[in-house]
Amino acid sequence: MATERISPTAHYTGYVWERNGLCHPALRGVVTPWLYRSVQPMMRLASPLVGLTLEDLLLQRHRIIDALLTRAIDGHGIRQVVEIACGYASRGLRFAERLPDIAYIEADLPSTAEGKRAHLRARGVNLNNHHVVAVDALRDEGLDAARALLDEDQPTAVITEGLVNYFPPQTGREMWRRFSQLAGPGGVYLAEVYPDDVRSGSVLQRAFVMGLSMFARGQVWQYNVKPPDLERAGFSRAKLHLPASWTELGIPRGRRGDLIQILEAWNAPG
């Protein structure tokens, strides 16, 4: 079964989407609530200290990326999207159904991609503008399967949510370069970062990231995003969005400040 190939943290994330109306009908019930329910007592204890829960943070980043992608499509001519390491999230299906003129490519590790394709076939989902392919974001040629489906004359939005922060900054910046090349002229890259500096960082923030690392069973790295890093990756301009600036989305707000930033990095037009 497809659920046997989903990581424990993906079960938590997938159930958060389902609880909050962000799950496509075809993916309901794919993930189980066992992990979400098992850690709720710990989350309730940590919330007063940190000012928000992991669920709050996931909703912040997901809804802001949704909003930025919508704006890129409506206002900047984006007509194709590649979302990397999206697991069993529903963004691709939601956007592909709502916008049939947008090509949406979901790209993941082979086992995850195979499992998701099989599940969607079993549920009768067959959208001409939605594709699921296998990739490896750690190799230059590892994105070729996604690249083969793109119209090189059209700008592309590349999205990673919950990916780069699991790799050390040097590896992450190498991935940024690949994503800039994949996005092409006039394309955009959207992702979340966990900052680590005196302006936006704090002891509580670092404690939260340490706790998140324990929960994910792997190091979660903090990134200080600097213009030279993005320029070396090929981007011409970038902006970091704070959740507190997106009150119109109705997303949870951290009572002790923002723990994440959403990166919006654009390539120069061709």
Side-chain angles (χ1 to χ4, degrees), residues 83-143:
E83 185 170 2
I84 300 169
C86 51
Y88 277 71
S90 295
R91 179 183 289 120
L93 290 171
R94 290 190 286 109
F95 273 82
E97 281 193 342
R98 191 171 81 245
L99 302 168
D101 60 330
I102 299 297
Y104 207 108
I105 301 162
E106 297 189 14
D108 220 312
L109 293 173
S111 61
T112 303
E114 178 186 350
K116 192 168 190 177
R117 282 195 301 265
H119 181 82
L120 294 179
R121 283 196 302 269
R123 294 285 179 97
V125 177
N126 183 24
L127 300 172
N128 291 331
N129 62 327
H130 179 263
H131 310 274
V132 182
V133 299
V135 299
D136 180 356
L138 296 178
R139 300 184 299 119
D140 286 353
E141 65 275 18
L143 298 175

Side-chain angles (χ1 to χ4, degrees), residues 64 68 71 190 238-246 258 260-264 266:
I64 293 173
L68 290 173
R71 190 164 72 182
L190 305 174
K239 182 175 182 179
L240 289 167
H241 297 269
L242 296 175
S245 302
W246 289 81
D258 292 309
I260 61 167
Q261 299 170 338
I262 306 300
L263 171 63
E264 178 186 20
W266 287 88

Side-chain angles (χ1 to χ4, degrees), residues 3-36:
T3 52
E4 294 171 351
R5 303 183 180 197
I6 307 175
S7 70
T9 52
H11 274 283
Y12 184 94
T13 304
Y15 191 67
V16 168
W17 305 152
E18 190 163 335
R19 269 174 45 86
N20 291 275
L22 294 169
C23 181
H24 187 275
L27 293 177
R28 287 180 189 146
V30 175
V31 297
T32 59
W34 63 271
L35 181 59
Y36 179 89

Side-chain angles (χ1 to χ4, degrees), residues 14-68:
Y15 191 67
V16 168
W17 305 152
E18 190 163 335
R19 269 174 45 86
N20 291 275
L22 294 169
C23 181
H24 187 275
L27 293 177
R28 287 180 189 146
V30 175
V31 297
T32 59
W34 63 271
L35 181 59
Y36 179 89
R37 291 172 179 168
S38 67
V39 301
Q40 284 311 100
M42 180 181 65
M43 294 295 174
R44 284 194 290 269
L45 287 174
S47 179
L49 296 175
V50 181
L52 82 174
T53 65
L54 176 57
E55 182 170 3
D56 294 333
L57 183 146
L58 293 173
L59 290 172
Q60 285 179 344
R61 77 185 195 191
H62 202 75
R63 292 194 183 277
I64 293 173
I65 291 175
D66 273 2
L68 290 173

